[in-house]
Amino acid sequence: MRAMETAPAAFSPVEAPSPVDVLEKLDTWAAAGNTAPFPYTELLQHLRSVGKHFLAAVLLDRLTEIRDGLPGAPTTGSTAVQPAVPHSPTDDALFLRAFLDVVLDKHDDRYDYTSYTALRLLTHPVPDDWRGALRSRDELLLLLLADLVRFEQGALTDTPADPHDMPPSPELVGKRARLAVRVMEAAALRALPAGTVDPAAVVAVPGRTPAGFLAGEILRTATREQELMLSATVQPVYVLHDEYLFLRTLQSFETTFGFMSTTLAAAVRRMDADRAQEAADLVGTVADVLRESLPLFSLLATMRPQAFQTFREFTEGASAIQSAGYKTFESLCSTPALARLDSSAYTSVPGVRARVLDGQATVQGTWHDLIAGRRLDPAGDDALRAAADRLEAVHQRWKQTHYRMAVRMIGERSGTGYTQGVPYLSAVLDNRLFPAPHRQSALVG
């Protein structure tokens, strides 16, 4: 169990439930034989008013008792290797156990990037079909960013939701809403009813769809399970407004990585079946979706450095280097060199590393096999090369933007999760998704 620091959390302008209030709600729930709804709302309101890092020991102990009494196997080891949790009324106990695992991650000494971003609660099995995977990604992305718009605009009201400290200006809220909409529009054109977003307007001036209207249309049809998922997946460590933005942006990236990995795996299967043009189309689709996601970095860059440097003090142990989603995407492009696999980039994602060492097929490897077997005609080779070059170019932009943002936010400070931070990002800028054999380095972005 971690030692509880005594640094004070900020006070909420709206009275939030106290630890005693939450304990009473928990006792009432337990006395009802677990037939009443679990008091998610009260617990999360309290958590966001003080920050997960500062939850009282008595509350943590009670939540541990409740979790230990739930059906299912105890959670052990890194949260990164735990399966996703289905969202269904018939799985309430399973969802509750996974939710409490996230609440108690610091208490359990299992805190990491996966638990910080609550990915087990956020994700669900991704369809093997790439079209289904794209729709799943679009729908989840729209929910996440619509919720962010709702939270940001709520900061301008008399009753802002927690976390509330260091509230943004109206101008900053407007900028964030526009950037969120820029990412949402492409997904909305695919996933929402025709007419919700004007495609001609999006082409002419991206990001001008009214943010409140778009968020309202998305959230209006959200199910009870989706609303619970949205609420349960924001568990900030401290009380600063910008951490909500940070969490939602990371989650948006992760759902995009999930789609990209599914689609690259489908591309490999197409190449194995001698359907190179179809494979090239899929690689091109991955490039397009990654390009659509680039404004997420602009959105993330609206975080105030002072806010980020304050709450990151309490995120030690969680770093995006632990993102299994990103490493899965990258390792499906080409097989990392052994030196990379032995670096922290992959030792921090043991499941992904194990799949690579077990001989996971990749786009580049399968492509080379087709050439060696004389199964690829010039037209197919040209199509694959053009698609790979597109993805490489967008990914390089992605890394450059990430690097510049990190320099602005943390300078030369070390990263969270015991990583090198900006020096690490600088060292991997030259790495490629589809490297020539002589160009592979020992690092990975």
Side-chain angles (χ1 to χ4, degrees):
M1 182 188 302
R2 68 177 174 84
M4 181 65 70
E5 287 84 348
T6 58
F11 292 99
S12 172
V14 178
E15 186 174 357
S18 68
V20 172
D21 295 331
V22 177
L23 287 167
E24 289 178 354
K25 289 288 186 180
L26 292 171
D27 289 342
T28 299
W29 171 79
N34 303 352
T35 58
F38 184 81
Y40 287 103
T41 298
E42 292 81 5
L43 174 55
L44 286 164
Q45 285 176 341
H46 172 68
L47 184 153
R48 292 176 190 163
S49 72
V50 299
K52 181 165 65 173
H53 194 81
F54 295 96
L55 290 173
V58 63
L59 179 55
L60 292 168
D61 289 342
R62 183 72 179 101
L63 292 171
T64 301
E65 291 175 7
I66 289 172
R67 182 184 60 183
D68 290 346
L70 292 171
T75 301
T76 58
S78 168
T79 63
V81 299
Q82 304 300 323
V85 179
H87 305 141
S88 166
T90 61
D91 295 307
D92 282 346
L94 180 61
F95 186 88
L96 176 56
R97 173 179 280 280
F99 167 76
L100 292 177
D101 282 343
V102 177
V103 176
L104 295 167
D105 56 358
K106 284 176 172 275
H107 184 69
D108 293 337
D109 282 333
R110 290 185 304 102
Y111 174 74
D112 59 14
Y113 176 78
T114 301
S115 68
Y116 176 56
T117 52
L119 292 184
R120 286 189 65 213
L121 305 179
L122 189 71
T123 57
H124 48 82
V126 178
D128 288 335
D129 170 63
W130 75 269
R131 291 182 180 85
L134 179 58
R135 182 165 188 86
S136 178
R137 175 264 181 187
D138 286 346
E139 290 173 349
L140 181 53
L141 179 87
L142 290 171
L143 284 168
L144 293 171
L145 294 180
D147 178 71
L148 175 61
V149 169
R150 173 171 61 183
F151 175 75
E152 290 291 333
Q153 294 184 336
L156 304 181
T157 69
D158 293 334
T159 55
D162 285 317
H164 78 279
D165 208 31
M166 287 185 66
S169 67
E171 293 76 18
L172 184 54
V173 168
K175 180 178 182 179
R176 289 175 173 176
R178 288 191 299 274
L179 289 168
V181 166
R182 280 187 61 193
V183 182
M184 295 164 75
E185 284 174 332
L189 286 170
R190 290 189 292 262
L192 297 186
T196 307
V197 174
D198 181 356
V202 170
V203 171
V205 188
R208 296 302 178 183
T209 303
F213 162 77
L214 183 55
E217 288 297 295
I218 294 162
L219 297 172
R220 179 174 55 82
T221 59
T223 65
R224 180 182 72 87
E225 289 77 19
Q226 288 172 331
E227 285 286 5
L228 174 58
M229 176 272 293
L230 288 173
S231 182
T233 52
V234 177
Q235 298 188 27
V237 294
Y238 196 47
V239 294
L240 302 187
H241 176 97
D242 283 10
E243 192 177 356
Y244 201 109
L245 168 75
F246 186 60
L247 284 166
R248 284 298 188 230
T249 306
L250 293 178
Q251 292 163 348
S252 296
F253 274 128
E254 289 297 328
T255 191
T256 299
F257 297 151
F259 158 75
M260 291 161 62
S261 297
T262 296
T263 305
L264 288 176
V268 170
R269 293 193 295 272
R270 297 294 197 282
M271 281 192 281
D272 253 343
D274 296 323
R275 294 151 65 184
Q277 183 61 60
E278 292 179 26
D281 291 343
L282 292 178
V283 174
T285 298
V286 170
D288 291 341
V289 171
L290 183 58
R291 177 179 48 77
E292 293 171 8
S293 303
L294 286 175
L296 284 172
F297 272 125
S298 299
L299 177 60
L300 196 57
T302 66
M303 273 196 310
R304 279 73 59 88
Q306 181 184 355
F308 181 62
Q309 292 164 17
T310 300
F311 73 72
R312 76 189 293 267
E313 177 183 348
F314 308 113
T315 63
E316 194 63 65
S319 168
I321 199 174
Q322 300 162 348
S323 170
Y326 174 77
K327 293 304 188 305
T328 299
F329 149 68
E330 181 190 62
S331 65
L332 281 165
C333 291
S334 61
T335 301
L338 286 176
R340 290 188 189 181
L341 291 173
D342 289 337
S343 74
S344 60
Y346 277 87
T347 57
S348 62
V349 287
V352 180
R353 184 174 184 270
R355 289 196 297 273
V356 173
L357 291 174
D358 197 38
Q360 172 183 263
T362 69
V363 170
Q364 187 174 59
T366 308
W367 181 3
H368 288 176
D369 288 345
L370 292 179
I371 294 172
R374 299 182 183 279
R375 295 163 50 198
L376 186 63
D377 61 29
D381 185 56
D382 288 345
L384 286 169
R385 190 173 307 281
D389 286 348
R390 281 172 56 201
L391 179 54
E392 192 79 79
V394 175
H395 184 249
Q396 283 301 113
R397 285 179 58 196
W398 190 92
K399 290 201 299 182
Q400 290 281 356
T401 307
H402 186 188
Y403 171 74
R404 289 194 297 269
M405 188 197 67
V407 169
R408 175 176 173 269
M409 290 291 171
I410 64 175
E412 295 302 313
R413 298 176 181 86
S414 63
T416 55
Y418 319 111
T419 59
Q420 297 175 11
V422 169
Y424 170 84
L425 294 175
S426 176
V428 300
L429 283 175
D430 288 337
N431 288 348
R432 296 293 184 267
L433 293 174
F434 305 99
H438 66 276
R439 251 187 358 201
Q440 289 199 359
S441 75
L443 292 171
V444 63

